[in-house]
């Protein structure tokens, strides 16, 4: 069995005979010679010296041995296994290839644009001068299983979602008050700095482990924001500059010079534009690719505290120390609405994810605005909010406001100096959730899905995950 040697058989006269399929003239079921036929044919001396062997048809004894050998090898080459064409992760039998006719092209004629046609050619893989059919039974079976993508699945309106549950944990942050914090769009990391730092630190959002630092400013940093694709980071500082960073390498890409201190910044949804708010009462729109100033808005009477792009990038809302907010077009910087009603410096402003409403706050009042009409739909005084965590004798004030992340973008989240972060219903202002901290909160950032990050004046960083139902 293991030797691979066939036992000989004897006929009635005692002569040895070859087993079936192994003899010189034997044929197998397919009509070709046996496995040892090649060796028998190549043994020219025994072949021609045998008187009993009849002449093989098609062979000329007058030809040389080398000519016969070449004929035999050529015949066997055609009977070998079919050639295999390897490409990527599939194998194709070359015999199944459909040859494409060679067409002589006119070098002066430009290439024609061929439109897709619903035919068998759509399932052909073209490579060089041949095409291979890629249709198989497994692929047809897979096509029968229709898996809806996210765009095909029914979606709810923002008003239909509610907060099902939440979780909160704290990380070791900074040795001083957390001045600025920002969650990446992927919600896998965040950046933060204290009110004494001239650099930003990027940390893992789960473990708090430091990933890298962004160093380049000459004075303390005031604000920061990520681009929507998470490729860029923008930071503003008291050194009168705004720096654009490459998030992957941590290197500076562009530096935008200003006349005075740059207080705030915000990216457009497509990351092509960046708006900055300055102490000189001017909002400037910059191109992130070339660093060129595209436009400037100069209708505020006070310094710019906060800016926010609309989701479609067509409008910008800016909050100022002149106690107003202004909605203006990105294209021609023409003012659309002037939102009045705040009694103090407007500390923050933000568009809702659908662009229909804007939330803003000063120290005493939080307001919700209709972004299209420019009217106020909700006004919530800080005195109307429960204060179970307030220190005795300390005045309670709003510090920041925003909309909750992801599907919960219908709800308003606001920080207070009473060591509490509140979540409100935007229609009636009722409190939905209260998150308690160890000290007053002066910075807050929302991710794109479910995460919220904020820091207190003791240097602690808190991460909250909101689950939608």
């Amino acid at each position: 069995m293991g030797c691979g040697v066939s036992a000989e058989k004897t006929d009635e006269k005692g002569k040895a005979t070859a087993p079936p399929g192994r003899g010189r003239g034997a044929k197998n079921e397919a009509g070709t010679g046996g496995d040892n036929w090649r060796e028998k044919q190549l043994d020219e001396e025994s072949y021609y010296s045998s008187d009993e062997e009849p002449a093989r048809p098609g062979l000329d004894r007058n030809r040389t041995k080398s000519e016969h050998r070449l004929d035999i090898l050529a015949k066997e080459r055609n009977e070998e296994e079919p050639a295999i064409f390897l490409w990527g992760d599939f194998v194709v039998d070359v015999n199944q290839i459909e040859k494409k006719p060679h067409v002589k092209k006119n070098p002066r004629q430009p290439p024609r644009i061929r439109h897709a046609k619903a035919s068998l050619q759509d399932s052909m893989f073209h490579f060089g001068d041949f095409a291979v059919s890629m249709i198989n039974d497994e692929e047809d079976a897979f096509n029968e299983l229709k898996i809806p993508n996210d765009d095909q699945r029914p979606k709810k309106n923002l008003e239909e979602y509610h907060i099902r549950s939440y979780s909160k944990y704290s990380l070791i942050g900074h040795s001083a008050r957390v001045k600025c914090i920002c969650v990446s769009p992927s919600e896998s990391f965040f950046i933060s700095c204290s009110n004494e730092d001239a650099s930003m630190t990027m940390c893992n959002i789960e473990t708090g482990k430091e990933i890298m630092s962004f160093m380049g400013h000459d004075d303390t940093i005031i604000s920061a924001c990520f681009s929507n694709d998470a490729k860029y980071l923008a930071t503003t500082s008291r050194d009168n500059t705004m720096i654009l960073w490459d998030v992957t390498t941590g290197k500076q890409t562009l530096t935008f010079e200003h006349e005075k201190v740059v207080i705030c910044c915000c990216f457009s949804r497509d990351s092509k534009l960046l708006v900055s708010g300055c102490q000189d009462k001017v909002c400037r729109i910059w191109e992130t690719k070339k660093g060129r100033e595209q436009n400037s808005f100069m209708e505020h009477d006070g310094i710019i505290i906060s800016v926010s792009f609309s989701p479609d990038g067509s409008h910008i809302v800016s909050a100022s120390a002149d106690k107003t907010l202004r909605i203006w077009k990105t294209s021609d910087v023409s003012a659309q609405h002037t939102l009045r009603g705040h009694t103090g410096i407007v500390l923050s402003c933000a568009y809702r994810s659908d662009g229909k409403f804007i939330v803003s706050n000063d120290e005493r009042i939080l307001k919700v605005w209709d972004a299209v009409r420019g009217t106020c739909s909700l006004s919530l005084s800080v005195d109307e909010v429960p204060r179970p965590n307030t220190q005795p004798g300390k005045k309670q004030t709003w510090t920041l406001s925003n909309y909750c992340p992801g599907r919960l973008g219908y709800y308003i989240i606001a920080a207070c100096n009473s060591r509490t972060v509140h979540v409100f219903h935007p229609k009636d202002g009722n409190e939905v959730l209260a998150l308690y901290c160890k000290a007053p909160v002066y910075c807050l950032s929302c991710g794109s899905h479910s995460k919220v990050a904020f820091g207190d004046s003791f240097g602690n960083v808190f991460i909250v995950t909101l689950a939608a139902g």
Side-chain angles (χ1 to χ4, degrees), residues 4 12 16 35 89 106 119 280 282 290 316 353 398 407 415:
E12 295 178 356
D35 295 340
D89 56 353
N106 184 357
S119 64
D280 61 3
V282 179
K290 298 181 180 180
I316 295 174
S353 59
W398 296 118
R407 297 176 179 177

Side-chain angles (χ1 to χ4, degrees), residues 150-165:
D150 293 338
D151 296 335
Q152 295 175 345
R153 293 172 182 169
K155 293 184 178 181
K156 299 180 182 179
N157 295 326
L158 289 178
E159 296 85 351
E160 300 179 30
Y161 289 100
H162 63 276
I163 299 176
R164 184 183 63 199
S165 62

